[in-house]
Amino acid sequence: MAKTVGLPTETKDGERRVALDPSAVKMLVHSGLDALVQKGAGIGSGFTDEDYRFVGARIVDTAEEAWSADIVCKVKEPQPAERSYFRPGLRLFAYLHLAAEPELTEALASSGVEAYAFETLTWPKGHPLLAPMSEVAGRAAAIIGAYYLGEGSGTLLGGAAGVPPSRVVVIGMGVVGTMAARGARGMDAEVTGVDVNLERLLEVHEQGIVTSTLYSNHHNIGEVVSTADLVIGGALVTGARAPIVITRDQVESMRPGSVIVDLAIDQGGCVETSRPTSLSHPTYVESGVIHYCVTNVPGQYPRTASKALSAAVIPRLIDLAHDPESERLEGSLNVSQGQVVHPAVLASLKGESQGVID
Ligand SMILES: NC(=O)c1ccc[n+]([C@@H]2O[C@H](COP(=O)([O-])OP(=O)(O)OC[C@H]3O[C@@H](n4cnc5c(N)ncnc54)[C@H](O)[C@@H]3O)[C@@H](O)[C@H]2O)c1
């Protein structure tokens, strides 16, 4: 059984979340584990060192001390400077998105880290450790898209008397897509939900989450994207590189000043022209279209996001400490004993990714 769990301060650009809030650390300590919380780790989310000390954590001064624990639990994938803390047998539990991170994968494998990814855990169903952040990011996507649409084409999502509402196309009607569609509908936009899963399309249509639905293929996408004001990308195939659902020529067909918010960017992006951006430099313009491709959107809503994440993570973290073979961790082990062991991650890294859809 592992004895110590380290909680380092996040170092990714603009990232203010922390993987465990004080209530979760209290549960960790009650389960018999020592919590090593790096000084200031919770500040961005409004949790003080004193809050953590009060529930039984040991506050450590440096990242090195937090990373010296048996298990390191953090939010985002380790940044290049953190790779020096990798060592054989260290258990890492975090968002990793390795299909889009070949260099990080190599660093984890060559240093013998046992790497468990939040986003590929599939027990008992769906993606229980991805869902809370997809919920936050999806809600945020509607707000962000609406904002940049004002900056770009000068269009208001909901229109006005005598002016039709904007057209929003949401790719992937999972958690991100559903929350984004709800947000956009809440602002009175016209929303088309796109997916390959017809059952899901029926549900979102029946529930009034979208105004129309569309089966995802290259032809259909071409037709809706050319008239869209805002496109929100949230297509996912567990562990794999995101399918490229919108091609470059389809982006070129969009009106200048329209907006793409590609949240699938953490898995490589579902739009051919997407490339990762950061919270401090969130957008770029390509073919006249504003692209927002931030890989850690929930990092700008750290209080809500950290609380939602910790509630989902804490039971699985306790499982990981007590029994890393537990079925409740199904799908999460990505790198073990120097090898990539998750089949979809491995296939993507070998270049057998989803590619452009027909
Ligand atoms: N950028 C960020 O800050 C951020 C935050 C949270 C989540 N995400 C990412 O958003 C993506 C979506 O996450 P989710 O939790 O909504 O996943 P999900 O599994 O709930 O939903 C994914 C949906 O995509 C659909 N899909 C798969 N292939 C498709 C295709 N070719 N065309 C259309 N739809 C397709 C699936 O059927 C499913 O309904 C993931 O890559 C996730 O990591 C990003």
Side-chain angles (χ1 to χ4, degrees):
M1 178 188 139
K3 291 196 168 51
T4 52
V5 174
L7 200 64
T9 305
E10 295 298 316
T11 59
K12 188 163 177 146
D13 176 79
E15 183 56 69
R16 293 189 286 145
R17 281 172 291 178
V18 62
L20 300 177
D21 68 6
S23 77
V25 167
K26 187 172 179 178
M27 289 171 70
L28 196 71
V29 172
H30 279 199
S31 82
L33 294 153
D34 276 346
L36 309 183
V37 177
Q38 187 181 345
K39 197 170 151 188
I43 289 298
S45 303
F47 308 121
T48 64
D49 292 345
E50 196 42 47
D51 294 335
Y52 285 105
R53 204 176 279 123
F54 186 71
V55 295
R58 185 145 54 97
I59 306 299
V60 295
D61 285 332
T62 63
E64 192 173 4
E65 289 167 275
W67 277 90
S68 72
D70 301 321
I71 299 177
V72 166
C73 181
K74 68 191 301 301
V75 183
K76 288 309 286 182
E77 70 281 354
Q79 302 302 292
E82 293 173 312
R83 294 179 195 167
S84 61
Y85 304 127
F86 291 178
R87 61 179 194 279
L90 167 69
R91 281 182 230 165
L92 175 64
F93 199 31
Y95 289 113
L96 297 175
H97 301 290
L98 295 182
E101 292 275 356
E103 284 175 22
L104 172 61
T105 310
E106 171 55 28
L108 289 166
S110 62
S111 58
V113 172
E114 296 290 295
Y116 295 78
F118 290 165
E119 72 277 5
T120 55
L121 192 151
T122 50
W123 190 91
K125 63 181 170 103
H127 307 106
L129 298 193
L130 180 61
M133 294 306 92
S134 293
E135 201 185 333
V136 171
R139 284 187 198 277
I143 301 169
I144 291 162
Y147 172 77
Y148 283 109
L149 204 51
E151 279 213 340
S153 63
T155 309
L156 183 64
L157 221 49
V163 183
S166 300
R167 292 181 177 197
V168 178
V169 173
V170 181
I171 309 291
M173 290 310 298
V175 180
V176 156
T178 300
M179 299 317 288
R182 283 177 55 171
R185 285 292 295 130
M187 288 184 265
D188 289 334
E190 206 179 277
V191 180
T192 301
V194 181
D195 207 299
V196 285
N197 181 341
L198 294 180
E199 246 176 87
R200 184 65 195 140
L201 290 182
L202 178 64
E203 281 169 5
V204 293
H205 198 228
E206 278 184 345
Q207 292 165 9
I209 292 167
V210 294
T211 32
S212 62
T213 61
L214 188 71
Y215 179 64
S216 181
N217 66 31
H218 186 251
H219 181 88
N220 289 348
I221 298 269
E223 286 188 353
V224 280
V225 160
S226 62
T227 55
D229 296 291
L230 168 63
V231 171
I232 296 175
L236 172 70
V237 177
T238 311
R241 195 222 176 275
I244 294 177
V245 179
I246 301 179
T247 53
R248 177 176 294 277
D249 56 313
Q250 290 172 336
V251 173
E252 286 165 358
S253 77
M254 292 174 73
R255 272 193 300 267
S258 47
V259 177
I260 295 174
V261 176
D262 191 355
L263 293 187
I265 192 65
D266 53 3
Q267 294 287 138
C270 64
V271 180
E272 195 173 2
T273 48
S274 293
R275 53 177 192 271
T277 58
S278 61
L279 283 170
S280 54
H281 296 94
T283 60
Y284 60 92
V285 177
E286 191 155 332
S287 304
V289 176
I290 297 175
H291 290 60
Y292 178 100
C293 303
V294 172
T295 53
N296 57 333
V297 171
Q300 60 194 311
Y301 301 96
R303 181 88 177 165
T304 302
S306 297
K307 285 182 176 189
L309 181 61
S310 5
V313 164
I314 188 60
R316 277 79 182 194
L317 175 60
I318 292 172
D319 286 336
L320 179 62
H322 293 273
D323 176 16
E325 308 282 313
S326 166
E327 66 164 359
R328 292 188 292 267
L329 294 166
E330 187 182 320
S332 62
L333 187 58
N334 278 212
V335 179
S336 178
Q337 300 184 356
Q339 305 291 328
V340 177
V341 295
H342 191 289
V345 174
L346 186 60
S348 282
L349 289 165
K350 280 181 170 171
E352 301 157 11
S353 71
Q354 299 293 308
V356 178
I357 62 158
D358 305 322

